Each structure stands twice: as C-alpha cells, then as structure tokens.
Amino acid sequence: MKYIDVHCHPDDENFGDLDGFFARAKFAGVEKVICAGVDLKTSLYASRLAENYEGCYFTAGIHPTETAKGGIDDLEQIYKLAQCPKCVAIGEIGLDYHYPDTDKERQKDYFIRQLSMASKLGLPVQIHSRDSAEDMLSLLKTYAPTLKSGILLHCYSHSAEIAAELEKLGCYFSFGGTSTYSGSKKARRTIAALASDRIMTETDSPYLPPKSKQGTFPNTPESIPEILQNMADIRGVSAEEMSQTVWNNAHALFKKLCN
C-alpha cells in the first residue's frame, strides 16, 4: 500500500537526524510527505527539505497565530517562494480564535490576501481553522469560487454539519491522530459522512499522536498507517481501498505531486 502525509512539520530541533526521519517514513510505506510552513522562516526551511529529499514537497504561508509577528513584506516573499516547482499549496493559512487576545481582523486580512495569492498562482490552499467555524464558512462561501485549484481543511475539527456545507464548496478534508480516539466524535462522524473523494491523511507532526502513541513526542509520518486503518474501519472499507482513495485524492488536489 502507498501512504501519504499531506501535512507535517519536520525540523531538526524535534526530530534530530532528518535523514532518519524520511527513511523511517519511507520504510513505513509513506512515499510522499508535504511539509507545511507557518511563517516565512518555516516555509523557507520546508522548501529546502523538499529540495533535498525525494518524495518531499512543501507549502508556503503564514499561519493565523503568526500574523502578528510578520509584515506585508513577508507575504511578498511567500508569493515568490510559492512559485517553486515543489511548492504544492499556499498554507497553512486560515483563522484561529482560540486565544483571548486574537486580532480577528488582522487574521482575516492575512487570510484573504493569501487566498488571493493562491488564486493568482493557480495553487490550492491548506487551511487551519480552530474555534472559527462561522467566519471560516462565511469567508469560504465568498472566496471559494475564485479558488479554482482547490481547498483543503487540514486536521478538520468542526462539525459534520459544517463539513457538509464546506463539501458543497468543493473542499477536501484531512484527518490526523486525534481521529483515532473514541472521544473524537465530531471527527469520526465527519469521516463517516464525507464522500470518499474528499478525504486525506495527515499527522501534523510533531503534534497529535494517534491512540497507540498517546502521550509520546514527537509524532511522525510513521503514524499514517494507523490513522488510515482507523479511517477505513469507520467507513467500512479495506485499508487497501482507503489507501488508494487517499492517494488519488491527494494527487487530484495537489497537482505538483504528479511531477
């Protein structure tokens, strides 16, 4: 079976030997990984990983909780970086209202600017959305028609009902280790309800380990087989079928994976 991790954050601080990190992922059957940037620095770092490792791709973008730290100049550099052959998406971008001091208007401004960037470049977007379901749905209803290359809600955590509305806009959804816990009722209901051509696997490494690795750090792409098996069990299909479905979905959205 072929596996793919469509969203992870490898770095030498948490993982040490990155040669080993990618070799172990490959040994586990994870043939491709997408390393996600959260600001200019990490986007540049992810681009270097993509240059150096086979099967490694990257995204470039400014995460909502990082918008207070950078300036508009950073967005200009993200735009240039996103034109690299192995940059598969603008991301991760979005809204995060979890913290009480959140500047919601600044987050929305950066989000909209980066949605426009993706539209101009003909790239999909990888979206982070936490505690922001109403605003996220509203903004995507407005801007989805301009995002001809597609939308992924990474580590989806809103309700199955919101997912149904987003699915009408053509969105994809990826799920990680948290979906393997029996208490993750919203994620499990969403996985069961979505059309098969909307679903992908991720780890968000080094965070969010699956059930078998609860309490361990760092999480790695080696967790993908467990995440996918859980997804297959929820949907009542074989792991082989689920693996091929996820692989096809990832390549349908992230066209540069096919290069």
Side-chain angles (χ1 to χ4, degrees):
M1 287 188 289
K2 296 180 293 187
Y3 299 105
I4 184 167
D5 185 345
V6 301
H7 190 100
C8 63
H9 301 278
D11 60 69
D12 50 11
E13 179 179 349
N14 288 309
F15 297 101
D17 173 25
L18 288 175
D19 288 346
F21 171 90
F22 285 103
R24 290 190 299 272
K26 189 82 169 179
F27 185 76
V30 183
E31 296 192 11
K32 295 183 180 182
V33 299
I34 299 175
C35 302
V38 298
D39 57 16
L40 179 58
K41 180 181 178 181
T42 54
S43 296
L44 286 165
Y45 184 84
S47 74
R48 292 193 292 271
L49 292 179
E51 289 177 3
N52 292 330
Y53 292 98
E54 182 182 2
C56 179
Y57 299 80
F58 78 101
T59 72
I62 299 178
H63 187 284
T65 62
E66 302 302 309
T67 55
K69 302 175 185 177
I72 299 302
D73 288 349
D74 286 358
L75 288 178
E76 293 175 359
Q77 294 184 67
I78 290 287
Y79 184 85
K80 293 176 183 178
L81 185 62
Q83 296 174 59
C84 293
K86 295 187 82 174
C87 182
V88 300
I90 299 295
E92 67 185 280
I93 63 175
L95 303 174
D96 190 323
Y97 295 170
H98 184 70
Y99 301 102
D101 61 346
T102 295
D103 186 339
K104 294 182 181 180
E105 293 309 310
R106 185 176 178 87
Q107 285 195 9
K108 290 177 187 177
D109 178 57
Y110 270 71
F111 185 36
I112 292 168
R113 287 174 183 270
Q114 291 179 97
L115 293 178
S116 175
M117 185 186 302
S119 179
K120 290 176 182 177
L121 291 170
L123 287 174
V125 290
Q126 280 202 0
I127 291 177
H128 169 103
S129 181
R130 181 164 64 156
D131 299 339
S132 60
E134 184 176 343
D135 280 356
M136 179 59 68
L137 181 57
S138 176
L139 283 169
L140 288 182
K141 282 182 175 179
T142 299
Y143 289 96
T146 71
L147 298 168
K148 304 296 186 183
S149 297
I151 302 165
L152 172 70
L153 276 296
H154 114 83
C155 203
Y156 184 76
S157 61
H158 300 314
S159 69
E161 291 75 19
I162 294 290
E165 292 300 309
L166 292 167
E167 191 174 10
K168 293 175 185 176
L169 302 176
C171 295
Y172 292 79
F173 305 81
S174 58
F175 300 88
T178 54
S179 66
T180 66
Y181 294 85
S182 58
S184 296
K185 294 180 180 179
K186 287 194 289 186
R188 297 172 73 86
R189 282 199 297 265
T190 304
I191 289 169
L194 287 171
S196 62
D197 64 354
R198 297 291 108 185
I199 302 177
M200 298 184 210
T201 50
E202 66 159 284
T203 60
D204 205 18
S205 306
Y207 316 108
L208 309 181
K211 186 176 180 180
S212 72
K213 300 175 183 177
Q214 184 175 7
T216 64
F217 186 89
N219 188 25
T220 77
E222 295 164 272
S223 297
I224 287 290
E226 179 179 351
I227 292 165
L228 184 132
Q229 181 64 62
N230 176 72
M231 191 178 288
D233 292 343
I234 291 171
R235 294 183 62 84
V237 300
S238 69
E240 289 79 7
E241 180 180 341
M242 195 76 245
S243 172
Q244 190 61 55
T245 295
V246 168
W247 184 267
N248 292 345
N249 293 346
H251 287 75
L253 177 62
F254 303 114
K255 299 294 194 296
K256 289 185 182 179
L257 290 177
C258 302
N259 296 341

